[in-house]
Amino acid sequence: MSEPVIFERSQPGRRGVALPPLDVPEAPPLPAEFRRDDLPLPEVSELDVVRHYVRLSQLNFAIDSVFYPLGSCTMKYNPKVHEDAARLRGFQQIHPLQPAETVQGALELMFRLQEALGEISGLPAVSLQPAAGAQGELTGILMIRALHRDRGETGRRVVLVPESAHGTNPATAAMAGFTVKPVRADRAGNVDLDHLRSLLGPDVAAMMLTQPSTLGLFDPNIEEIAAQVHASGALLYGDGANLNAILGKVKPGESGFDVIHINLHKTFTTPHGGGGPGAGPVCASPALAPYLPDPVVGERDGQYVYLHPPKSIGKVRAFHGHFGMFVRAYTYIRSLGADGLREVSEHAVLNANYVRSRLQDLYELPYDRICMHEVVFSGSRQKQQHGIRTLDIAKRLIDYGYHPPTIYFPLVVDEALMIEPTETESKETLDGFIEAMRAIAAEAATDPELLKAAPTTTPVGRLDEAQAARRPDLRWQP
Amino acid sequence: MTTAHPQTTRRSRTSYVPHTEADRRQMLETIGVASIEDLFVDIPAALRNPTLRLPDGMSEMEVLAHVEQLAERNVTVDRLPSFLGAGAYRHFIPSAVWQLVGRNEFYTSYTPYQPEVAQGTLQAMYEFQSFVALLTGMEVANASVYDGASGLAEAMLMAVRLTNRPRVALAASVHPDYLRTVETYLVPQGIAVERFDPAAPPDASGFACLAIQQPSFEGFLVPAEQVGEAAHAGGALFVVAADALSLGMLRPPGDYGADIVVGEAQSCGVPLQFGGPYVGIFACKQKYIRQLPGRLVGGTVDHEGRRGYVLTLQAREQHIRRERATSNICTSQGLIALAATIYLALLGKEGVRQVAELCYHKAHYAASLLTAIPGVRLARPDPFWCEFTLQLPLPPSVVNQKLLDRGILGGLDISDRIPNGWLVCVTEVNSRDEIERLAAETRAIVEGR
Amino acid sequence: MNIPEELGYTKEHEWVRFNDDGTVTMGITEFATDQLGDVVYVDLPPVGTTVRQFEKFGEIESVKAVSELFSGISGEVVEVNEKLGDQPELVNSDPYGEGWMLRVRPSNPAERDNLLSAADYGALTA
């Protein structure tokens, strides 16, 4: 059953692709000090390669085959028209350093996407450059740092991050040279305003806030939080990982955020199979516009041009960003329009609350209130009563044909089970999943060993992660 | 109770939402609220349901026509000879690469958090790590980083962590975007970024690392070995940025002492697509793996002893170590790394070398024709692979404009670095006829015709 | 939960054994290994390092967590358990024996009074 690595299929002399013969005179050989001798790559036929990777693909769960309610990752359906758009020759076969006048269509697309993201976020200064959400965070935090320095406020060395935040938030703040201080949540899961007040001071550069939070909750005190942060001279950074919950329902800029990043691959559905690529544009207030990464796209007399923000933080990667992802996100935004985008968020929230309502009698709901696009349960009841861990519940779901939710995140919830259905799933699909979750809750009581042994329907069972980490085997050896 | 907002009842043409009116009604009843709007009560009323000034939605037919119009306004490099490189390269991509990447099970999966249902992705990543390690001549590699530029920045940060020296040196001949990315990443952390000439490497005793790009931005091969020796003599690490495909022919950096190798693998099966997404490679010596940024896949066994793959050494990463992580990186370039993996498998031992050699010979043929033009000369006497910098007798911007008028995309104007510098790239996709046209037209332009 | 009577403890779940030769041996408690799960890596300082009571001397990683290690006493490291390099699982299987981490020559033996007794530590983790 198990598929050997491609290197093990190698047979000396076999070829996968024929290349044309050299049609120019041969050059003198490269000096030996620069030349490589051995190139130990596999020798396989095209059919070998095709069968091998088709077989590998068949070992995966994917949105196109199963329900995939992986919380925080927003595994919604990726419309197929996006792929046709992104694969147009006019987008695939253009070089990032071509003269601007030869890529007007590409620049117009980028300009219009900047405009649309600025409108959706309420933060009009937009850079598409960051490669993913975490790089967008770094970009935004570096812009905040630059603004403070310009104002002579170099004493602002601290960034506040709620305990429930994605790990990228504190890691980003540290990479930008800041010290991180955690902010506690109150009993309802909102920012503890008293604790926030006690932390704010002349040493704080920014607060990073995910809204809605990683608990799937919209913090109703957002205006008060923003007011406090601003009164202390700090800025409010928004982690836009959960923007898909609030499209057209609230603009982050209007609720007090100074800069946010957007995970295009989540909210605007670009494929990120195997964990990437992402795309992490940042949207900022006019005050931060001079610090945007270089370049951004502007319009001048009907021509689209590169603009160089005067106090730019520089570049966070080569060229302009993940253009292929821009084409998909732009196609999505133009397909949906304002009404369609609002419907996306409304139904994402409807679906999550439906799952919440139908499971909260069997699974512990640490924050018993209306949620946004995702609902976070705790497996604590199953652990206490039956010795069943959230991991067991997740693995058992695989045997029912579902990709498990995100587990053990956020860290502030014991035995967390984070379910994000997304708006593209029908009521029937949710009902099927809910029935599976209910059946598993029953099995936890009647047949706990079944859960502990799961999954049994997959090519491999639970893998020994301790061995993988203790004796790392990270590559094939010739 | 709030009444339903009028906008919730207006239906757009497209939203990929499958709910019927009856579904919505039943679901709201189950939840125990009267309307969808009641689910948004946590948003302060004054902020709720703002106007979104966006164009109306479109049907699939309309939106495709719209983006096709935009695409058609671009001049594509397959319709006219192009000699642009400088970090993004046009190479032949076999049909099998993207047909396989496009398999739904690869394309619409995600980060392999549940290894039992992600063995396909995990094994492909393990193969990617293996290919990168073999190409670079290094012991281990990760499952990719965003791109070559940010990978170089991450490598230099890793060197700072390993040596506890807050000072790095970077060859002045690296790609300018790479240099700017390194500065953006490192300077805010209080790390000094200095530049050096690889022909005369500095005393490395105060530096965390000496870093070069091989070949350099200008296309020339730098005396890498002596930089590595200088780095190690001073207790610094030696960091090399390399183009993955060049390693089909060029000596692997592991052979000449590199401690960390990064670079771009766009040349391996990834279309130009205006600059991204591409895929960064990141390899190092085994002893440094606990300071490696990014995802790693490792082999292991299940309870029945069957071989399988998992994400491993995760305690390095941000989701566990938070502000003490090796990097904030989370996303990898999954699909793009998969494309590079399949490309390298298809081309294989002979094919990868052959592509690299075709590039070498064609670039040298182009250089021989162009330097035969009076007043045109190579900027340096050093060997090169598929790119080289010429000095022209007139501004490259003028030459490029005239070439474009004649249907050719010329080299990159780098006169900001080298007087009248013109960076020309030739790969296996440039035919002899294209190369000869470039030479003939350039000659005509230089000679005022 | 096994909490040997003769050892001293820190609030951070390290144990300290006072050896007859005047040195002390340190490791982490069974409670700590239970919390961590499968230990996969232990990062220890080299022989000759000076450690300080209740300050960080190293790190321990399990599959999905990482924790700092705090010294039970001040002094100079005279021996490191090299076996943990290849077999970090010893910390799980025998935390008070083969899973030991450092042997230290104390600079101020009076610091012993700052440690918790087995009873106090037991109460802390109950």
Side-chain angles (χ1 to χ4, degrees):
Chain A
M1 177 70 227
S2 89
E3 178 72 11
V5 290
I6 190 73
F7 304 92
E8 290 167 3
R9 293 207 174 279
S10 184
Q11 291 295 336
R14 205 165 269 169
R15 290 288 299 264
V17 177
L19 290 157
L22 186 64
D23 61 352
V24 301
E26 229 177 87
L30 195 63
E33 59 169 309
F34 294 111
R35 215 168 50 215
R36 119 173 263 155
D37 304 320
D38 187 36
L39 186 63
L41 299 187
E43 297 174 82
V44 285
S45 71
E46 180 171 327
L47 181 56
D48 287 336
V49 171
V50 169
R51 290 230 172 104
H52 175 71
Y53 290 102
V54 167
R55 282 185 193 135
L56 287 189
S57 76
Q58 290 166 336
L59 305 178
N60 277 356
F61 272 15
I63 321 172
D64 283 358
S65 44
V66 300
F67 181 47
Y68 211 119
L70 196 59
S72 192
C73 299
T74 313
M75 299 302 288
K76 62 169 86 173
Y77 174 64
N78 299 163
K80 300 304 173 198
V81 65
H82 297 179
E83 301 313 307
D84 279 351
R87 286 181 192 166
L88 290 168
R89 298 193 76 74
F91 293 141
Q92 290 250 304
Q93 300 288 335
I94 48 175
H95 191 285
L97 300 175
Q98 277 180 232
E101 66 266 26
T102 66
V103 285
Q104 283 295 297
L107 293 177
E108 180 177 343
L109 185 144
M110 288 175 67
F111 179 78
R112 290 188 180 206
L113 181 59
Q114 288 172 192
E115 296 283 295
L117 297 179
E119 175 64 15
I120 289 165
S121 65
L123 294 161
V126 178
S127 165
L128 302 177
Q129 192 176 104
Q135 207 182 40
E137 289 176 31
L138 182 64
T139 302
I141 291 294
L142 289 175
M143 288 164 63
I144 288 173
R145 181 179 178 276
L147 177 68
H148 283 313
R149 289 174 79 88
D150 261 10
R151 291 174 173 170
E153 302 205 30
T154 50
R156 295 188 178 273
R157 309 298 313 149
V158 173
V159 168
L160 304 180
V161 179
E163 289 170 322
S164 62
H166 294 114
T168 51
N169 289 184
T172 294
M175 267 183 107
F178 290 103
T179 306
V180 178
K181 283 192 188 168
V183 185
R184 286 197 299 265
D186 67 15
R187 267 199 211 129
N190 299 320
V191 171
D192 181 333
L193 291 170
D194 291 332
H195 190 228
L196 174 62
R197 203 172 292 119
S198 72
L199 292 170
L200 286 168
D203 59 334
V204 176
M207 175 176 186
M208 298 180 85
L209 186 65
T210 310
Q211 176 80 307
S213 72
T214 60
L215 296 165
L217 305 173
F218 192 93
D219 195 318
N221 306 318
I222 180 62
E223 291 166 297
E224 172 65 18
I225 294 168
Q228 279 194 26
V229 168
H230 290 151
S232 78
L235 299 188
L236 189 59
Y237 181 89
D239 181 328
N242 297 337
L243 184 70
N244 57 310
I246 54 171
L247 295 167
K249 301 307 291 182
V250 59
K251 294 184 181 180
E254 291 180 359
S255 61
F257 287 97
D258 298 289
V259 52
I260 70 166
H261 80 263
I262 295 173
N263 303 74
L264 283 191
H265 53 294
K266 297 184 187 181
T267 299
F268 300 104
T269 84
T270 70
H272 38 301
V282 289
C283 307
S285 65
L288 285 163
Y291 305 96
L292 286 171
D294 184 28
V296 293
V297 179
E299 185 190 10
R300 200 180 284 148
D301 307 326
Q303 287 289 301
Y304 297 93
V305 294
Y306 293 113
L307 300 177
H308 306 285
K311 297 172 175 176
S312 172
I313 58 160
K315 290 190 77 77
V316 293
R317 48 159 297 139
F319 311 122
H320 323 311
H322 286 170
F323 179 78
M325 301 293 122
F326 307 160
V327 176
R328 294 169 173 94
Y330 177 74
T331 305
Y332 184 69
I333 290 170
R334 291 305 307 269
S335 296
L336 269 56
D339 294 336
L341 290 173
R342 192 174 282 115
E343 280 169 23
V344 160
S345 291
E346 289 175 346
H347 289 83
V349 171
L350 176 68
N351 278 0
N353 279 287
Y354 181 69
V355 172
R356 174 181 62 81
S357 299
R358 290 209 52 204
L359 289 178
Q360 75 176 107
D361 58 329
L362 296 180
Y363 292 92
E364 182 67 24
L365 185 66
Y367 300 97
D368 185 4
R369 54 186 265 205
I370 287 172
C371 62
M372 299 298 282
H373 62 299
E374 61 198 1
V375 55
V376 181
F377 288 104
S378 163
S380 57
R381 216 181 288 172
Q382 283 70 24
K383 184 167 79 171
Q384 281 159 18
Q385 294 173 359
H386 313 297
I388 288 297
R389 307 274 323 261
T390 281
L391 183 72
D392 304 318
I393 297 169
K395 297 303 186 193
R396 183 63 182 149
L397 268 172
I398 293 173
D399 285 336
Y400 279 92
Y402 296 102
H403 193 284
T406 293
I407 54 175
Y408 300 108
F409 182 81
L411 307 174
V412 294
V413 172
D414 182 39
E415 298 287 321
L417 265 163
M418 186 193 214
I419 302 169
E420 180 176 15
T422 83
E423 74 284 358
T424 56
E425 299 296 338
S426 67
K427 179 171 176 293
E428 299 93 286
T429 300
L430 300 185
D431 284 337
F433 171 76
I434 287 162
E435 289 315 318
M437 285 291 287
R438 299 188 71 85
I440 291 169
E443 288 169 353
T446 58
D447 194 358
E449 292 312 309
L450 186 66
L451 272 64
K452 288 179 187 167
T456 56
T457 54
T458 46
V460 290
R462 293 193 200 183
L463 290 152
D464 187 344
E465 297 191 36
Q467 181 188 314
R470 284 170 184 158
R471 286 173 258 294
D473 159 18
L474 305 173
R475 58 170 287 196
W476 174 79
Q477 297 286 352
Chain B
M1 202 189 85
T2 28
T3 49
H5 192 272
Q7 279 152 326
T8 62
T9 54
R10 197 159 78 217
R11 308 288 300 147
S12 64
R13 268 182 271 183
T14 307
S15 66
Y16 307 106
V17 168
H19 299 62
T20 65
E21 204 48 57
D23 290 338
R24 266 188 294 274
R25 203 172 48 244
Q26 284 178 28
M27 293 169 82
L28 288 169
E29 229 167 76
T30 303
I31 297 166
V33 295
S35 72
I36 288 181
E37 206 51 28
D38 290 348
L39 300 173
F40 288 88
V41 288
D42 280 340
I43 300 178
L47 302 174
R48 212 182 310 151
N49 295 318
T51 304
L52 274 192
R53 283 170 296 271
L54 293 175
D56 286 341
M58 289 191 239
S59 66
E60 179 169 334
M61 195 168 94
E62 293 165 305
V63 83
L64 199 55
H66 169 63
V67 292
E68 273 170 356
Q69 270 180 355
L70 290 174
E72 277 162 19
R73 290 178 48 211
N74 298 323
V75 177
T76 59
V77 294
D78 59 335
R79 293 289 150 78
L80 76 179
S82 167
F83 298 91
L84 273 175
Y89 303 96
R90 186 159 78 101
H91 290 285
F92 173 71
I93 303 173
S95 301
V97 174
W98 284 90
Q99 288 199 25
L100 288 168
V101 174
R103 294 262 322 172
N104 309 48
E105 301 93 329
F106 278 136
Y107 214 70
T108 71
S109 64
Y110 193 52
T111 305
Y113 293 127
Q114 299 291 340
E116 300 89 343
V117 289
Q119 284 299 301
T121 289
L122 285 160
Q123 184 172 331
M125 285 180 170
Y126 179 87
E127 292 180 1
F128 175 79
Q129 291 173 184
S130 305
F131 273 115
V132 172
L134 291 166
L135 277 174
T136 56
M138 301 300 284
E139 289 165 335
V140 291
N142 77 5
S144 76
V145 290
Y146 304 135
D147 75 334
S150 60
L152 180 58
E154 292 276 12
M156 297 181 90
L157 286 174
M158 178 170 158
V160 170
R161 289 194 298 275
L162 284 165
T163 60
N164 280 316
R165 296 177 180 178
R167 207 169 144 225
V168 297
L170 186 57
S173 56
V174 304
H175 193 296
D177 280 6
Y178 284 42
L179 173 65
R180 291 185 71 190
T181 303
V182 166
E183 287 178 339
T184 306
Y185 268 71
L186 272 67
V187 172
Q189 300 197 40
I191 300 163
V193 180
E194 297 177 26
R195 299 180 209 184
F196 72 94
D197 175 2
D203 172 2
S205 52
F207 293 105
C209 64
L210 303 185
I212 61 163
Q213 187 173 18
Q214 179 77 313
S216 75
F217 175 65
E218 285 111 27
F220 298 105
L221 292 167
V222 303
E225 199 150 12
Q226 70 182 51
V227 178
E229 283 163 9
H232 294 150
L237 301 188
F238 180 34
V239 176
V240 178
D243 176 90
L245 192 56
S246 76
L247 298 174
M249 182 175 182
L250 299 183
R251 200 169 158 203
D255 257 25
Y256 52 82
D259 297 292
I260 306 173
V261 181
V262 294
E264 186 57 69
Q266 175 269 328
S267 46
C268 301
V270 185
L272 284 170
Q273 50 188 337
F274 206 44
Y278 296 167
V279 53
I281 59 172
F282 200 113
C284 70
K285 290 184 173 161
Q286 174 94 27
K287 63 182 172 184
Y288 300 137
I289 51 172
R290 286 185 188 272
Q291 286 300 331
L292 197 66
R295 292 189 184 132
L296 272 172
V297 173
T300 185
V301 291
D302 74 359
H303 50 92
E304 289 177 24
R306 290 176 293 199
R307 182 160 176 81
Y309 302 88
V310 293
L311 289 176
T312 193
L313 300 180
Q314 295 187 70
R316 299 165 297 117
E317 296 182 68
Q318 47 75 29
H319 62 283
I320 290 176
R321 204 176 284 252
R322 298 179 79 83
E323 66 269 23
R324 294 182 295 120
T326 52
S327 167
N328 72 340
I329 193 168
C330 174
T331 309
S332 70
Q333 296 297 101
L335 287 172
I336 315 299
L338 176 64
T341 305
I342 297 171
Y343 175 91
L344 289 165
L346 270 174
L347 272 288
K349 184 185 177 79
E350 286 308 312
V352 172
R353 181 181 290 275
Q354 199 185 341
V355 172
E357 286 178 353
L358 284 170
C359 294
Y360 174 79
H361 292 299
K362 290 187 174 218
H364 283 74
Y365 181 60
S368 72
L369 297 185
L370 287 163
T371 52
I373 302 167
V376 177
R377 59 189 184 86
L378 280 164
R380 299 179 72 95
D382 305 330
F384 59 89
W385 173 52
C386 78
E387 274 183 296
F388 52 90
T389 297
L390 296 172
Q391 286 185 283
L392 301 177
L394 65 172
S397 57
V398 173
V399 175
N400 277 341
Q401 187 55 56
K402 291 186 173 173
L403 281 172
L404 190 57
D405 294 342
R406 299 166 194 212
I408 295 174
L409 268 173
L412 187 68
D413 176 3
I414 56 166
S415 47
D416 55 335
R417 299 168 70 100
I418 293 174
N420 282 349
W422 198 43
L423 176 58
V424 177
C425 171
V426 186
T427 74
E428 82 282 5
V429 297
N430 294 111
S431 66
R432 178 173 189 149
D433 178 56
E434 287 181 5
I435 294 167
E436 289 172 354
R437 268 183 63 201
L438 171 73
E441 296 295 354
T442 304
R443 178 182 287 270
I445 292 162
V446 167
E447 290 174 354
R449 287 184 277 127
Chain C
M1 197 67 69
N2 181 13
I3 306 175
E5 198 55 40
E6 71 280 13
L7 305 181
Y9 297 89
T10 71
K11 283 181 187 157
E12 305 285 350
H13 313 290
E14 288 83 14
W15 55 260
V16 180
R17 174 178 290 121
F18 292 84
N19 304 316
D20 294 342
D21 64 357
T23 63
V24 304
T25 305
M26 288 192 264
I28 64 168
T29 65
E30 191 179 303
F31 177 84
T33 62
D34 252 42
Q35 295 288 309
L36 276 167
D38 290 333
V39 171
V40 298
Y41 183 69
V42 188
D43 185 23
L44 298 174
V47 168
T49 307
T50 302
V51 295
R52 298 177 63 89
Q53 189 174 38
F54 305 142
E55 290 187 10
K56 180 184 164 178
F57 71 78
E59 277 188 347
I60 185 164
E61 290 179 13
S62 63
V63 173
K64 299 232 160 91
V66 58
S67 291
E68 298 186 327
L69 296 166
F70 296 92
S71 181
I73 207 135
S74 304
E76 185 192 335
V77 177
V78 294
E79 193 182 355
V80 173
N81 187 355
E82 302 289 351
K83 268 196 188 171
L84 299 184
D86 286 338
Q87 296 170 269
E89 55 269 36
L90 291 174
V91 176
N92 292 107
S93 59
D94 190 8
Y96 300 107
E98 284 209 88
W100 68 275
M101 293 175 184
L102 299 182
R103 206 156 60 80
V104 171
R105 186 174 311 286
S107 53
N108 179 9
E111 282 179 349
R112 182 173 188 164
D113 299 340
N114 302 334
L115 295 172
L116 301 174
S117 68
D120 292 345
Y121 180 70
L124 183 76
T125 55

